[in-house]
Amino acid sequence: MNHWIIAPVVLPALLAPLLAFVMRHDIVLARAASYVSVVAMAAIAIGLTMLEASGGTQVYFLGNWQAPFGIVLVLDRLSAVMLLLSALLAVVVLWHAIATGWDERGRHFHALFQFQLMGINGAFLTGDAFNLFVFFEVLLIASYGLMIHGGGRARMRAGLQYVVMNLAGSTLFLFALGTLYATTGTLNIADLAVKLQEMPADDVALVRVAAVLLLIVFAIKAALFPVQFWLPGTYANAPAPVAALFAIMTKVGAYSIIRIYTVVFGPDVAATQGIVTDWLMPAAIITIAAGALGVLGAKRLMPLLAFSVVGSMGTLVLAVSAFTPYAMSTALYYLLHSTFSAAALFLLADLVVSRRGNDALTAQPPIVQNGLFAALFFAAAIGMTGMPPLSGFLGKLMVMDGVRDQSWMAVAWTAILVGSLITIVGFARAGSVLFWKSTSISAPTLAEGAADTSQAERVTAMQLVPTMAALGVLAVLSIFAGPIAGYMEATAAQLFDSSGYINAVLAPAMEGLK
C-alpha cells in the first residue's frame, strides 16, 4: 500500500492537537507549524495527482483490513484533484489570515484550520459512506469554531443557524445510512454498488428512500434550493479568510453527489434511475436564479459575494445533473474555477472592508489605494460573473456545451445566460458604488467622529499576495484550459467506469477468499 494516501488526513489530525495544547501561547510557532503543514499537504497532493495521471485507482486499507469490513481510503483522479484543490486553497487562505492578523483575533484558529482540512481531505478520500458522515461531522465542528472566530453577535447568530441546519442534515444522513445498511448489509461504497446492482426490483423501495435522503443531505452541504438559505448569512458574517476557505465546503457536497450518484446509484442502477436528474436539474435552475437575484438586491458587499457563491453552485450542479461523462468534465472544470474565484473575492473584500470600516454598498470617501482595489475587484468580478478573458467565461461555455444534448437545454442555457447578466449588473453596481462614486466625496464632508478612510493603512505586498495568487489561478485555468479540460475529461471517464473503482476496492478481498 502507498502510505502517502493517508498523509493528507493524518498530518492535520496529528498537528491540530499540538497547535491547540502545545503552541497556543506562541503565535509565531503556531503560524510556522501550520503553514509548513499546508505547504507539505500541497506537495503531497501534487505528488498524488501526478501518481494518478496514469488513471489507476489506489486503495489504502487501514489496519490492513480488507473491504468491505475494514475502513478504506480510495485515491483516483477525482479525489486527487480535490485534494490538490483544497491544499492550494489552504496555502492561499492561511497566508492571508497570517498577513492580516486574522489568526490572532480569536483562540485556536490554527488548530481549527487543521481539523477543517482533515475533514475535507477525509471526505474526498473515504471509500465508505459511514466514514463520509464522520468526516462531515469533523467539518461541522471545526467550521463552527472558525465561523465564530473573533466573536460578535451577528457572527454567533449566523453560526447558530449554520449549526442547526447542518445538524438537521446530519440526522437525515444517519437515517439514510441506517436504511441503506438495513437493505444491503454494507456501507462500503464499492460494495454498495455491487449489492444494488444485484438487488431484486421488488426490494428497491427503501433504497429509493435512502437515495432521496442522501440527495437532500448533499444538497444542504452544496447550498442548493430549497436548502440554500443558510449560506448567505454564514458566509457574509464569517471572517473573510474563513469564508474563502468555505469556498471548498460547498464543493464537498457537490463531490459527494458526484461520487455517490455515479458509483453507488449510477445510471445503470434500475432502483434509482431518473431520481437524481429529476430533482437536481430544477433545484440547480432555481439556485442560479436565487443567487443572481441575491447579488442584484444585496445592500452589503459580503452578502453580495455570498449570493454569488450560491449562483455558482447552481451552475456547477446543473452540469452535474446531466450525468454524462462530458457534462461531468465541464462541471469539474467549473468547480476549479468557482472555488478560486470565490476565494479571491472574499480575500479582496477583507482588504477593502477593513479600510472602509464597513461593507455597506453606499458611497463613502475613497480609501487609500482606491485604484488598485478597483482593478482587483474588476478582475475578480469578471471571473465570478463569467466574462472573458478569465476562466469563468470558458467554464460557463463548457457547461452550456455539456448540457446541449439534454431535453432541458433551452431552460439551462436561459438560466445560465440570464443569471450571468443579472450577476454582472449586481457586481457593476457594487463596484461603481465602492470605487467610483466614492471619489466624488471628500474626507472633510464626513460626519463628526467618523473615520477618514483616506488615511487608512496601506495594503502591504504580503497582504496582496493571496488575492493575486487566487486571481493568478483563474488566469492559469484560462491559459491552460485545453490540457486541464482534457484531464477533467479523463477524470470523468474514469468516474463513469465504476468497475475500476469497485475492482480496486473489492478485488483483494475476493482473492483472499480463493
Side-chain angles (χ1 to χ4, degrees):
M1 291 187 295
N2 186 346
H3 294 285
W4 287 109
I5 296 173
I6 199 173
V9 179
V10 170
L11 180 59
L14 292 178
L15 180 60
L18 294 177
L19 288 166
F21 297 110
V22 179
M23 308 179 198
R24 59 182 174 177
H25 299 302
D26 189 337
I27 188 64
V28 175
L29 182 59
R31 285 173 170 177
S34 189
Y35 206 79
V36 168
S37 172
V38 296
V39 171
M41 275 188 271
I44 292 169
I46 291 172
L48 293 176
T49 304
M50 294 175 63
L51 184 66
E52 275 302 306
S54 60
T57 300
Q58 300 194 46
V59 183
Y60 187 88
F61 300 97
L62 274 75
N64 208 27
W65 283 84
Q66 304 300 315
F69 307 106
I71 298 173
V72 296
L73 303 179
V74 185
L75 180 73
D76 60 1
R77 280 177 175 265
L78 178 60
S79 55
V81 167
M82 298 305 293
L83 286 175
L84 180 59
L85 177 65
S86 62
L88 294 179
L89 181 66
V91 170
V92 171
V93 170
L94 189 57
W95 184 317
H96 180 94
I98 293 172
T100 57
W102 260 111
D103 60 333
E104 292 185 280
R105 301 184 194 181
R107 296 172 61 84
H108 305 305
F109 176 87
H110 292 283
L112 291 169
F113 194 91
Q114 294 296 323
F115 275 128
Q116 182 85 349
L117 293 178
M118 171 196 169
I120 292 171
N121 294 339
F124 292 148
L125 283 169
T126 185
D128 184 276
F130 182 78
N131 285 293
L132 181 61
F133 165 79
V134 171
F135 285 118
F136 270 22
E137 295 311 293
V138 174
L139 285 177
L140 175 60
I141 295 169
S143 61
Y144 179 66
L146 290 172
M147 166 70 204
I148 62 174
H149 180 75
R153 178 177 295 180
R155 193 165 291 159
M156 291 292 290
R157 184 169 56 248
L160 181 61
Q161 180 190 38
Y162 169 71
V163 168
V164 169
M165 191 64 192
N166 279 273
L167 284 177
S170 298
T171 303
L172 290 179
F173 204 164
L174 280 178
F175 288 161
L177 294 179
T179 303
L180 274 179
Y181 191 79
T183 53
T184 63
T186 184
L187 290 176
N188 179 276
I189 291 175
D191 201 34
L192 273 172
V194 174
K195 295 289 179 62
L196 290 180
Q197 289 173 356
E198 299 172 347
M199 183 168 289
D202 296 338
D203 299 335
V204 299
L206 285 176
V207 172
R208 294 173 71 88
V209 171
V212 172
L213 286 176
L214 284 176
L215 190 59
I216 294 172
V217 172
F218 300 149
I220 292 173
K221 303 297 183 183
L224 292 178
F225 179 86
V227 286
Q228 86 293 347
F229 54 83
W230 62 269
L231 188 146
T234 300
Y235 282 39
N237 290 287
V242 174
L245 180 64
F246 280 10
I248 194 72
M249 292 278 286
T250 50
K251 308 309 184 296
V252 176
Y255 168 86
S256 301
I257 293 173
I258 293 170
R259 176 69 73 191
I260 297 298
Y261 291 91
T262 53
V263 179
V264 179
F265 306 115
D268 56 339
V269 177
T272 56
Q273 205 163 36
I275 287 181
V276 186
T277 298
D278 291 346
W279 284 81
L280 274 188
M281 189 276 290
I285 295 290
I286 301 174
T287 303
I288 293 174
L293 293 175
V295 168
L296 187 63
K299 303 299 183 184
R300 294 167 43 221
L301 178 59
M302 299 305 282
L304 180 144
L305 302 185
F307 276 110
S308 71
V309 173
V310 173
S312 70
M313 284 306 301
T315 303
L316 169 62
V317 175
L318 187 60
V320 171
S321 65
F323 278 97
T324 63
Y326 179 59
M328 192 65 73
S329 71
T330 66
L332 295 177
Y333 179 89
Y334 189 78
L335 184 151
L336 300 179
H337 156 79
S338 61
T339 301
F340 276 99
S341 62
L345 282 167
F346 280 112
L347 296 179
L348 176 61
D350 182 44
L351 300 178
V352 173
V353 170
S354 64
R355 283 153 183 81
R356 292 183 99 235
N358 60 72
D359 68 340
L361 294 178
T362 55
Q364 295 183 18
I367 60 175
V368 65
Q369 298 172 290
N370 192 64
L372 172 63
F373 288 124
L376 291 174
F377 183 83
F378 177 74
I382 66 173
M384 176 58 79
T385 57
M387 295 174 64
L390 294 182
S391 52
F393 177 71
L394 295 175
K396 289 190 175 181
L397 281 181
M398 290 179 184
V399 169
M400 292 169 65
D401 189 44
V403 300
R404 65 178 176 176
D405 294 329
Q406 304 299 316
S407 59
W408 37 267
M409 178 203 76
V411 177
W413 283 32
T414 301
I416 293 173
L417 293 174
V418 175
S420 297
L421 177 60
I422 294 174
T423 305
I424 289 170
V425 173
F427 269 94
R429 178 181 65 87
S432 65
V433 170
L434 289 170
F435 305 110
W436 182 64
K437 288 184 179 180
S438 62
T439 60
S440 63
I441 303 178
S442 58
T445 65
L446 290 171
E448 185 177 353
D452 182 0
T453 56
S454 65
Q455 303 302 316
E457 179 186 357
R458 296 178 64 86
V459 66
T460 66
M462 291 292 287
Q463 293 170 342
L464 268 181
V465 165
T467 302
M468 298 292 289
L471 292 173
V473 172
L474 302 186
V476 169
L477 288 172
S478 297
I479 296 170
F480 298 100
I484 294 172
Y487 190 91
M488 294 307 158
E489 288 179 7
T491 301
Q494 183 191 47
L495 184 64
F496 278 85
D497 182 18
S498 58
S499 60
Y501 184 100
I502 295 170
N503 291 335
V505 174
L506 299 181
M510 296 299 101
E511 291 175 1
L513 294 175
K514 293 179 180 178

